[in-house]
């Protein structure tokens, strides 16, 4: 009986176990060396990642509250991998931080929340998972304790997420009134597309849209990304967004399938708005974190384009793209994080002439940005290609044309950064920076991921074989 | 109209009126007092729905403890003066128009709604008792219940981290003040 619960729940249990282990270390040990703890945590996270790869049967537990299968395990593995890379990249920053243990406790709490959210088979469970991930994240974004800007980011984040949670809860309660159930299997049977149900759905959609920063709901993104510590920004832009996209696409393709005709049009509109607005604002940014924030808004627009395909290719391309997006965005954020931790400089102008002293960092940055822009040899190209292919599956060629145009606009601001690094010069360029071992491993992982994932066809085939669609 | 319906309308009007006054009151202390009225009215609704335990907990926790905390904060930060800056008039108009449009859509949607849920069970007074609530909580909803404990733990950790910061800020501020 125990294995029947332990095996499907193993990833959640492992993460919670690490969380409590850290709590006991914090409470029990009077003195510890931060460096040792950081290495220990990274090893535990690696063990957690490996544990996820053991085969797991499909299971539905606790009266349908929790369900898992090969696709969900794969999604959790992707999140685990991303968290490990974030943790490796944060090493340089955390080494000097007095509250590294708390950082990991909060980080793992959010990860537990994401896992339960992805596995939820009930709206109540989904909401709890989302809150469990949001509340620690707000504390994390205020983690640069001596910076005013970081506190401001935390405050903005908690107010906007409280607002979005309120919308979501209102939507959930109306949906409960309209269908009489919170279970993911019972709701679609009772959806008939009446005005009341659509209204509830739109509220739910707005709640989701806040979390993945889709355009009318994106206003918090740039400020929070800029103010938060870089490691947290990276986590927010990749892991948090990826997890919400996973559950979003599941909800749309299974729970809200009867409303597909309605949400398809909504998503196309939101996607176009998101891509355009994200791009136009990104063109004007000079702070690299803000630039990456707006670029991540644009990427959300592209992912929405893939979702509108509502086919197996749609699901597969979104998961595949998020995997690649983790590598490319974390590569870029990793470089920003390292340079910011050692020199405190974050503007594009500061990066002029970076190549002269730091060729390795420059190349990592360049490859990551090429992948974000979607330039062919990198995996980013294949990710975007599959997204647009999936989106084109429904025959919306005008929409896909707009998306392709946006890729060209995006190229401009990515190349601007690369030009600054490789071709421009300035009186005081950033000197030679020391790259510690752990961030170096993370850079290796990111670059390898970007260069290899696109070429290995079986990755996409494997994801496709697990995907859902209709 | 039966007693239940009469009570329902009375409590609903009380709650909405209270909520409007919470937002429109200039003085924050008055807002808090009106918020207590809202909570009491909602607790009344819970009793009408046969959720007695929830009603009492709502009253004790929200109307009691949390509101007292609010009042303490206002007292300590000396916020009882009218400090809110005047907003732009156009912004107010825009807000009213948007809110009104949302209300219109909601009312229109509700009017045509065909509710498939079972209506609240009336006349069976035992569904909200602690015994039954506990059974449901530890049988059907045991996972959400357990997860919320992790949620509270992480929230506590987060608060401690932020709280520590405040302490340090004060000491550095103090040393600046007296040292310099």
């Amino acid at each position: 009986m125990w294995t029947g619960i332990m095996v499907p729940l193993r990833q959640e249990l492992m993460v919670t176990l690490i969380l409590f282990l850290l709590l006991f270390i914090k409470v029990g040990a009077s003195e510890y060396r931060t460096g040792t703890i950081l290495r220990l945590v990274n090893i535990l996270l690696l063990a957690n990642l490996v544990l996820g790869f053991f085969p797991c049967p499909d299971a539905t537990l606790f009266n349908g509250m929790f369900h898992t299968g090969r696709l969900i395990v794969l999604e959790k593995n992707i999140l685990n991998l991303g968290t490990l890379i974030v943790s490796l990249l944060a090493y340089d920053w955390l080494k000097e931080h007095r509250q590294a243990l708390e950082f990991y406790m909060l980080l793992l709490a959010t990860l537990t929340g994401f896992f339960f959210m992805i596995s939820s088979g009930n709206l109540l469970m989904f909401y709890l998972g989302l809150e469990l991930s949001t509340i620690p994240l707000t504390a994390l974004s205020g983690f640069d304790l001596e910076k005013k800007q970081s506190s401001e980011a935390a405050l903005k984040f908690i107010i906007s997420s409280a607002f979005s949670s309120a919308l979501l809860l209102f939507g959930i309660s109306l949906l409960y009134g309209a269908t009489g159930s919170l279970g993911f299997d019972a709701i679609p049977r009772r959806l008939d597309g009446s005005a009341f149900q659509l209204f509830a759905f739109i509220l739910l959609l707005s709640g989701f849209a806040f979390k993945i920063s889709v355009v009318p709901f994106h206003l918090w993104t740039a400020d929070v990304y800029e103010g938060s510590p870089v490691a947290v920004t990276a986590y927010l832009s990749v892991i948090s967004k990826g997890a919400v996209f996973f559950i979003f696409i599941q909800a749309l393709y299974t729970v809200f399938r009867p409303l597909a005709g309605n949400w398809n049009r909504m998503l196309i509109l939101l996607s176009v708005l998101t891509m355009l607005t994200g791009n136009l604002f990104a063109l004007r940014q000079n702070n690299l974190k803000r630039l990456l924030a707006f670029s991540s808004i644009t990427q959300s627009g592209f992912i929405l384009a893939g979702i509108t395909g509502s086919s197996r290719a749609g699901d597969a391309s979104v998961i595949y793209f998020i995997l690649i997006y983790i590598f490319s965005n974390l590569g870029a954020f990793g470089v920003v994080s390292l340079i910011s931790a050692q020199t405190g400089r974050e503007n594009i102008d500061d990066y002029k002439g970076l190549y002269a002293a730091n060729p390795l960092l420059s190349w990592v940055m360049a490859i990551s940005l090429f992948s974000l822009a979607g330039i062919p040899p990198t995996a980013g190209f294949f990710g975007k290609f599959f997204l647009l292919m999936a989106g084109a599956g429904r025959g919306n060629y005008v929409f896909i044309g707009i998306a392709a145009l946006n890729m060209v606009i995006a190229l401009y601001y990515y190349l601007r950064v690369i030009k600054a690094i490789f071709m421009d010069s300035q009186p005081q360029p950033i000197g030679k920076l020391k790259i510690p071992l752990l961030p170096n491993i993370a850079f290796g992982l990111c670059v390898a991921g970007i260069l290899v994932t696109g070429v290995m066809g079986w990755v996409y085939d494997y994801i496709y074989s697990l995907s859902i669609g209709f | 109209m039966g007693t239940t319906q009469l009570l329902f309308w009375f409590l609903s009007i009380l709650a909405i009126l209270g909520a409007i006054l919470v937002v429109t009151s200039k003085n924050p202390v008055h807002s808090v007092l009106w918020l207590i009225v809202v909570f009491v009215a909602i607790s009344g609704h819970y009793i009408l729905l046969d959720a007695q335990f929830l009603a009492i907990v709502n009253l004790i926790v929200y109307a009691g403890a949390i509101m007292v905390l609010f009042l303490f904060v206002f007292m300590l930060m000396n916020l009882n003066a009218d400090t809110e800056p005047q907003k732009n008039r156009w912004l107010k108009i825009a807000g009213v128009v948007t809110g009104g449009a949302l209300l219109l859509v909601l009312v229109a949607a509700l009017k045509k709604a065909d509710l498939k849920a079972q209506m609240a069970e009336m006349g069976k007074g035992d569904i909200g008792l602690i015994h039954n609530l506990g059974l449901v909580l530890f049988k059907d909803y045991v996972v959400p219940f357990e997860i919320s404990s992790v949620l509270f733990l992480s929230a506590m950790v987060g608060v401690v981290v932020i709280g520590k910061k405040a302490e340090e800020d004060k000491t550095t501020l103090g040393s600046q003040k007296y040292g310099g």
Side-chain angles (χ1 to χ4, degrees):
Chain A
M1 181 219 161
W2 280 107
T3 51
I5 293 177
M6 299 291 260
V7 173
L9 268 173
R10 65 195 193 284
Q11 288 166 309
E12 287 79 5
L13 287 175
M14 182 72 182
V15 173
T16 323
L17 211 69
I18 303 175
L19 200 168
F20 277 96
L21 183 74
L22 295 180
L23 179 68
F24 289 133
I25 291 178
K26 178 72 193 177
V27 175
S30 54
E31 268 190 29
Y32 52 82
R33 300 215 351 251
T34 312
T36 323
I37 293 286
L38 289 182
R39 257 170 252 130
L40 173 75
V41 174
N42 281 316
I43 291 169
L44 286 173
L45 283 177
L46 183 67
N48 179 37
L49 175 66
V50 172
L51 189 75
F53 283 102
F54 286 104
C56 167
D58 292 6
T60 305
L61 299 174
F62 309 112
N63 296 324
M65 286 279 171
F66 180 94
H67 67 99
T68 184
R70 284 166 67 201
L71 182 68
I72 290 174
V73 169
L74 175 76
E75 291 172 347
K76 287 178 187 167
N77 284 338
I78 293 176
L79 295 183
N80 268 334
L81 175 70
T83 311
L84 178 66
I85 297 178
V86 169
S87 156
L88 291 175
L89 288 173
Y91 177 78
D92 216 24
W93 169 64
L94 282 178
K95 202 175 55 184
E96 307 296 330
H97 204 289
R98 281 176 302 108
Q99 269 137 0
L101 264 180
E102 283 89 338
F103 175 83
Y104 276 109
M105 279 158 68
L106 294 171
L107 196 75
L108 291 171
T110 64
L111 198 62
T112 321
F114 290 138
F115 284 180
F116 277 109
M117 182 175 78
I118 294 173
S119 275
S120 60
N122 190 299
L123 280 173
L124 179 70
M125 199 62 208
F126 157 72
Y127 177 71
L128 262 177
L130 193 69
E131 282 301 291
L132 178 52
S133 56
T134 308
I135 289 176
L137 262 180
T138 53
L140 280 176
S141 56
F143 222 75
D144 255 345
L145 297 176
E146 61 284 352
K147 277 192 196 160
K148 274 258 159 20
Q149 218 184 10
S150 185
S151 309
E152 186 194 330
L155 196 68
K156 272 185 181 156
F157 192 26
I158 197 148
I159 289 174
S160 57
S161 36
F163 185 60
S164 76
S165 292
L167 284 180
L168 198 72
L169 264 185
F170 192 32
I172 290 176
S173 58
L174 289 185
L175 201 66
Y176 182 59
T179 62
S181 173
L182 287 175
F184 280 3
D185 48 349
I187 291 175
R189 273 185 267 128
R190 298 180 192 160
L191 282 179
D192 52 13
S194 69
F196 185 57
Q197 290 181 354
L198 272 179
F199 187 76
F201 171 70
I202 288 172
L203 287 173
L204 263 170
L205 184 75
S206 336
F208 273 115
F210 255 107
K211 303 288 173 199
I212 49 184
S213 51
V214 164
V215 152
F217 311 99
H218 69 292
L219 293 165
W220 59 277
T221 316
D223 289 340
V224 172
Y225 280 23
E226 190 188 2
S228 308
V230 191
V232 179
T233 309
Y235 189 81
L236 262 176
S237 74
V238 177
I239 316 293
S240 163
K241 197 175 259 189
V244 179
F245 262 118
F246 288 150
I247 183 71
F248 184 49
I249 196 166
Q250 257 185 64
L252 287 179
Y253 281 14
T254 57
V255 184
F256 295 107
R257 180 184 293 197
L259 304 179
N262 296 306
W263 59 248
N264 216 332
R265 264 171 286 163
M266 291 180 207
L267 286 193
I268 288 176
L269 185 68
L270 287 178
S271 169
V272 170
L273 269 177
T274 308
M275 286 187 289
L276 272 177
T277 317
N279 265 340
L280 293 182
F281 278 94
L283 288 178
R284 304 175 47 216
Q285 301 308 321
N286 203 26
N287 180 303
L288 210 56
K289 271 157 94 182
R290 277 185 94 83
L291 180 113
L292 285 173
F294 282 107
S295 111
S296 89
I297 293 176
T298 314
Q299 309 281 1
S300 289
F302 285 117
I303 297 177
L304 285 184
I307 295 179
T308 57
S310 37
S311 56
R312 280 180 76 179
D315 194 14
S317 66
V318 169
I319 296 171
Y320 181 69
F321 183 78
I322 286 172
L323 174 66
I324 293 165
Y325 182 55
I326 282 180
F327 289 130
S328 8
N329 221 15
L330 286 184
F333 269 117
V335 176
V336 177
S337 167
L338 198 93
I339 292 175
S340 159
Q342 297 194 6
T343 66
R345 296 161 84 171
E346 289 174 355
N347 286 335
I348 295 180
D349 292 338
D350 296 333
Y351 279 66
K352 284 181 179 168
L354 183 73
Y355 181 67
N358 302 289
L360 178 72
L361 285 181
S362 306
W363 278 114
V364 172
M365 189 75 176
I367 291 173
S368 307
L369 289 178
F370 275 139
S371 179
L372 283 175
I375 290 174
T378 58
F381 167 73
F382 297 99
K384 287 243 172 77
F385 177 72
F386 285 130
L387 278 180
L388 295 192
M389 277 289 281
R394 295 261 146 159
N396 296 319
Y397 297 118
V398 179
F399 167 50
I400 296 305
I402 294 174
L405 267 180
N406 271 294
M407 280 176 67
V408 180
I409 301 177
L411 205 59
Y412 169 75
Y413 54 80
Y414 291 127
L415 286 182
R416 197 158 69 104
V417 180
I418 293 175
K419 175 172 168 284
I421 291 175
F422 284 91
M423 294 158 83
D424 293 349
S425 59
Q426 62 167 332
Q428 287 123 8
I430 294 170
K432 177 119 188 73
L433 299 177
K434 211 166 111 283
I435 310 175
L437 176 67
L438 293 183
N440 224 341
I441 297 175
F443 286 143
L445 273 174
C446 290
V447 171
I450 293 169
L451 294 180
V452 172
T453 321
V455 192
M456 291 194 300
W458 62 265
V459 179
Y460 183 78
D461 286 340
Y462 178 68
I463 298 174
Y464 186 82
S465 71
L466 301 178
S467 297
I468 45 173
F470 59 95
Chain B
M1 217 191 302
T3 328
T4 320
Q5 266 174 322
L6 216 63
L7 275 172
F8 172 80
W9 286 112
F10 173 68
L11 287 171
S12 304
I13 291 166
L14 191 68
I16 291 171
L17 245 157
I20 290 173
L21 284 168
V22 171
V23 184
T24 51
S25 295
K26 292 267 190 239
N27 189 330
V29 178
H30 291 177
S31 285
V32 168
L33 294 177
W34 282 115
L35 202 53
I36 294 178
V37 172
V38 176
F39 283 135
V40 170
I42 289 174
S43 291
H45 275 301
Y46 283 143
I47 292 178
L48 285 186
L49 290 168
D50 284 334
Q52 301 93 338
F53 179 68
L54 215 56
I56 296 300
V57 168
N58 189 48
L59 217 54
I60 293 172
V61 175
Y62 281 90
I66 292 182
M67 285 303 117
V68 171
L69 271 183
F70 262 110
L71 284 179
F72 264 124
V73 170
F74 287 144
M75 236 169 62
L76 292 177
M77 295 174 73
N78 208 8
L79 281 177
N80 50 5
D82 176 14
T83 49
E84 198 184 344
Q86 281 297 311
K87 295 222 176 60
N88 186 347
R89 197 153 54 97
W90 290 107
L91 214 62
K92 272 186 189 164
I93 295 173
V96 168
V97 170
T98 344
L102 187 72
L103 183 72
L104 198 71
V105 173
L106 181 59
V107 168
L110 267 174
K111 226 181 137 200
K112 291 189 115 185
D114 162 34
L115 295 183
K116 293 199 174 62
Q118 269 189 336
M119 295 300 144
E121 288 184 64
M122 295 295 189
K124 269 171 68 183
D126 62 344
I127 52 163
L129 295 182
I130 306 174
H131 177 77
N132 295 322
L133 202 69
L135 278 179
V136 172
L137 207 57
F138 283 97
K139 270 183 173 168
D140 297 346
Y141 294 96
V142 63
V143 194
F145 182 70
E146 295 295 339
I147 291 172
S148 44
S149 66
V150 183
L151 172 62
F152 291 138
L153 176 77
S154 62
M156 239 163 15
V157 171
V159 167
V160 168
V161 170
I162 292 174
K164 267 188 177 169
K165 173 184 70 172
E167 200 178 296
E168 279 149 21
D169 275 359
K170 218 171 16 187
T171 48
T172 50
L173 241 177
S175 63
Q176 272 172 2
K177 213 179 194 174
Y178 301 114

